[in-house]
Every structure is written in structure tokens, then in C-alpha cells.
Amino acid sequence: MTQIANELSFSQKLNENPKSVVERDAILANPGFGDYFTDHTAVVDFKVDANGEGGWQNARIEPYGPILMDPAAAVLHYGQEIFEGMKAYRHADGSIWTFRADANAARLNASARRLALPELPVETFLESLRQLVSVDQDWVPSKDGDALYLRPFMIATEAFLGVRPAREVSYRVIASPAGNYFGGELKPVSIWLTTTFARAGEGGTGEAKCGGNYAASLAAQMEAEANGCKQVLFLDPNNDNAVEELGGMNIFFVFKDGTLVTPALNGHILHGITRSSVMQLAADRGLKVQERKITIDEWREGVAAGEITEVFACGTAAVITPIGELKTAEGTIASPANGIGEVTNAIREQLVGIQTGVVEDLHGWLTRLA
Ligand SMILES: *Cc1c(COP(=O)(O)O)cnc(C)c1O
């Protein structure tokens, strides 16, 4: 599908009924995660014209609200959808920044290619964030550790039940004030190892950030909850017992000598931007970082022998979360650290520090939004 190159500027239709300051302040005092949304949304439409040329058009900021969509819209039937997740952080001087947005833009387009959706020009992606955060800047929390979670997504809106890539697509961004993902203090979470379900496989969509992967993870998530765990760990279904990732977070192991190990990207692990940042910050500290295969057996034996001293998960929403015990159908692998481990904590503080503007951004990871 060829795309018409176009310079898009966003029109603005402001919400005539925004939430009151009192209501907004009450939400910001206790935002939780993903429960409340700001007053506006950014939208850009994509259409293929009669000559078969596709182009993005009608970029706009409009009031947040329900999407009017044909019941035959392809996304509702075949799940042609992708998304991103990032945060806007308020710095001490009031300015608002986001973290590695160029990487999110690139990943959105990688996901688009996999789901046969049109790529969005990087500049339009960045402008959609700037525009939305500018109109909704009062929604960016200033409380320590809180941020405005940004959710760009793309859906196939064409009303058509035949199976082919949709010729009408909509890109949108919504925003939601976010507190601590796991609610409060950083205590290790218990993880359930599913051997019933896989989230991804060779040639599948595991590397794309698409809703379908999350739908496919829910049954495993229920299994985890039934076993008293908050999160589920998936194995590589093609590679017996090799650890892959959680439903929405990548995983790291810290060894006694300070080496960090994370599963190598194998074509069906999501390329986490937090993952890549953790690897960079660990290397900056002089720690050895290995991307390689790590199995459940190595995990079990490593913890038992005191070789593995910390395990943590990472992703934009929860940043870095210590992993405690791993429960499996065949028994439990004990938590290596009591509370948050030293290396986990040091990298977390540095990462959050860069994001919130209190630690110098040596890698040029921040982009100013407002
Ligand atoms: C989004 C996501 C992650 C984390 O990626 P970040 O860029 O660090 O937020 C990890 N795994 C899956 C499956 C994801 O969807």
C-alpha cells in the first residue's frame, strides 16, 4: 500500500464539558492505573482513495468520548489493532517530558507492518502526543512517582467482513493519570508459570504490540490469579523451559557477580523500551549484560545455589518491579531477595530519576511535550 506523504497539522475542538477542577484534583490525588481519562483525545484518520493511494488525514484534537463505529468495523471482528504505552512526566520546573518517544514511534510502525496496518509518520506520532498533552497538561500529575500514561493505538475502522487489510484506519491517543501500577510499595510480586498457555510462537505476533496478544494472555492470567499470583510468566513454546516474558513486562535476572541476564529477543519477545534502557544503564554502571536463553531449571538451581540474587520485571506501566517467588505446577522457586534487591533498586532509581528530571539524561532519552 503506497502512502501519500503529507504534512499534518492538528485542528482543535475543545471539550465543552471538561471535568471540574475539583473532580480532576480528586482523581489526581488517587489515580490508580487506567481508570480515569483526560478531557481530550488525539485522532488521525487513514483512508485509501479510489486510486489505491493511502494517506493520513484529518488530524485533530477532540473531546474524549465514545467512538462511533460501524458494527462491521474490521477491528471488532478480526482484531486488527496495535497500541503503544508511554508516560508524560512533570519535572520540578513544571515542564512536561516523555521518555524515548522515538522508540515508541518505531515500534508502533513495526507492529503496524506485522498487523498489515499503515505506518504513521514519526513526526505525526510525536505531534499527536505534544498536542494532547498540551491541551490536557493540567492532568499531568506532579506527585512523586505519578505520571500521565499515554496510550496511542491504531484500529481498523473499515466496515467490511471480508478478510483483508482494512482501507480505513484510525489512529488515536488517550491519556490516563497513573499512580503506582501495583499499588503502593515496591514489594516483590509472586509470579505464576503457565505451562498450559503460550502468548507467542515462531512467526506469530509476539513481537508486535497488539491487543490480540493480550486477549490471548488472559486465560493464563486467570490461571495465575487462581494460584494466588498477580502476574504470569510465559515460556518459549518452541524452546523447552526457556523463559520468555510476562504478559506485559520483560524479565531480568541479577547474578551474584552483578551480571544481568535477560532472554534474547527471539522474534516473539516484545522489544521493551524499558528493557533496552535497563540494559544500557546496567552497562553504564560497568555491569555485564547478557541477552541469552535462560531456563526454568537455571532459575531454580541459580536461586538455590545463591548464584541468582535478584529477579525483576520491567515495562513502562510498572517501571521495575521485583519478582518474588515463582509458583509452578511442580512446586515453588523461592524468592531470591527479601524485598527489592540492591541492583534492581539502583537501576530503578536511576531510570525513574532520568524520567522525572532529577538525574541527568546522558543518552538524550527525553523529549519535551509541553
Ligand atoms: C509493552 C510490553 C512490554 C514492555 O515494553 P515497554 O516498552 O518497556 O513498556 C513487555 N512485554 C509486552 C508483551 C508488552 O506488550
Side-chain angles (χ1 to χ4, degrees):
M1 195 183 300
T2 53
Q3 261 178 254
I4 301 162
N6 49 359
E7 294 278 314
L8 291 179
S9 66
F10 283 70
S11 65
Q12 220 176 64
K13 179 170 180 279
L14 294 183
N15 193 333
E16 286 170 4
N17 276 307
K19 291 202 179 67
S20 71
V21 175
V22 172
E23 199 177 344
R24 189 177 67 220
D25 285 350
I27 291 169
L28 291 180
N30 197 2
F33 187 88
D35 290 330
Y36 305 100
F37 299 92
T38 65
D39 295 313
H40 296 90
T41 174
V43 191
V44 191
D45 296 324
F46 179 91
K47 273 196 176 70
V48 176
D49 68 16
N51 302 320
E53 305 258 27
W56 290 99
Q57 53 191 256
N58 199 10
R60 60 200 188 271
I61 293 294
E62 62 182 36
Y64 184 94
I67 302 175
L68 186 63
M69 201 162 32
D70 195 288
V75 65
L76 300 176
H77 302 273
Y78 307 127
Q80 202 188 356
E81 187 266 0
I82 56 174
F83 67 94
E84 273 303 321
M86 49 210 304
K87 282 176 173 172
Y89 306 87
R90 188 183 293 282
H91 289 187
D93 66 356
S95 60
I96 300 167
W97 301 75
T98 193
F99 183 73
R100 303 190 71 179
D102 50 335
N104 291 95
R107 188 171 65 187
L108 180 81
N109 283 338
S111 300
R113 290 191 291 274
R114 181 62 184 85
L115 274 287
L117 284 161
E119 292 182 46
L120 184 74
V122 172
E123 191 39 51
T124 304
F125 178 82
L126 296 176
E127 186 62 13
S128 70
L129 306 177
R130 275 187 223 113
Q131 291 280 334
L132 181 60
V133 167
S134 298
V135 288
D136 283 338
Q137 54 185 283
D138 291 342
W139 283 92
V140 181
S142 38
K143 207 162 64 163
D144 201 28
D146 292 1
L148 185 66
Y149 184 80
L150 302 173
R151 168 52 62 85
F153 63 106
M154 200 188 287
I155 52 176
T157 49
E158 185 181 358
F160 177 66
L161 289 184
V163 180
R164 58 154 171 75
R167 294 175 186 149
E168 286 172 30
V169 168
S170 176
Y171 163 78
R172 290 176 172 262
V173 191
I174 56 175
S176 172
N180 189 298
Y181 192 77
F182 288 112
E185 85 258 54
L186 271 173
K187 53 174 210 269
V189 292
S190 307
I191 304 284
W192 171 253
L193 173 69
T194 182
T195 47
T196 321
F197 302 105
R199 69 170 285 283
E202 215 59 56
T205 56
E207 212 171 50
K209 211 168 173 69
C210 64
N213 290 343
Y214 280 70
S217 76
L218 295 177
Q221 178 75 26
M222 284 168 66
E223 198 184 77
E225 280 164 22
N227 285 281
C229 296
K230 281 201 176 150
Q231 288 279 315
V232 61
L233 176 75
F234 292 94
L235 298 178
D236 180 345
N238 303 113
N239 201 340
D240 225 16
N241 272 343
V243 171
E244 197 146 82
E245 61 171 314
L246 309 187
M249 282 189 280
N250 298 111
I251 188 166
F252 279 88
F253 299 84
V254 182
F255 283 68
K256 196 169 65 183
D257 69 351
T259 300
L260 266 73
V261 173
T262 191
L265 300 175
N266 56 7
H268 37 92
I269 287 179
L270 203 284
H271 294 214
I273 294 161
T274 318
R275 175 187 181 276
S276 118
S277 309
V278 164
M279 290 188 348
Q280 181 65 56
L281 295 179
D284 292 351
R285 291 176 169 267
L287 300 176
K288 223 162 76 181
V289 180
Q290 297 176 341
E291 295 178 85
R292 64 166 170 85
K293 175 178 170 180
I294 178 163
T295 64
I296 293 295
D297 296 334
E298 185 178 356
W299 185 341
R300 183 186 304 104
E301 287 155 22
V303 169
E307 285 296 321
I308 294 176
T309 51
E310 306 172 29
V311 186
F312 65 87
C314 68
T316 297
V319 197
I320 287 179
T321 303
I323 292 179
E325 57 186 15
L326 178 74
K327 291 195 186 176
T328 82
E330 279 140 29
T332 296
I333 301 179
S335 179
N338 243 335
I340 184 163
E342 207 177 302
V343 175
T344 307
N345 198 44
I347 293 176
R348 187 186 169 280
E349 300 245 295
Q350 192 182 2
L351 181 56
V352 172
I354 293 169
Q355 291 168 335
T356 54
V358 300
V359 170
E360 197 185 348
D361 171 25
L362 294 171
H363 296 286
W365 282 341
L366 298 183
T367 305
R368 186 163 180 178
L369 293 178

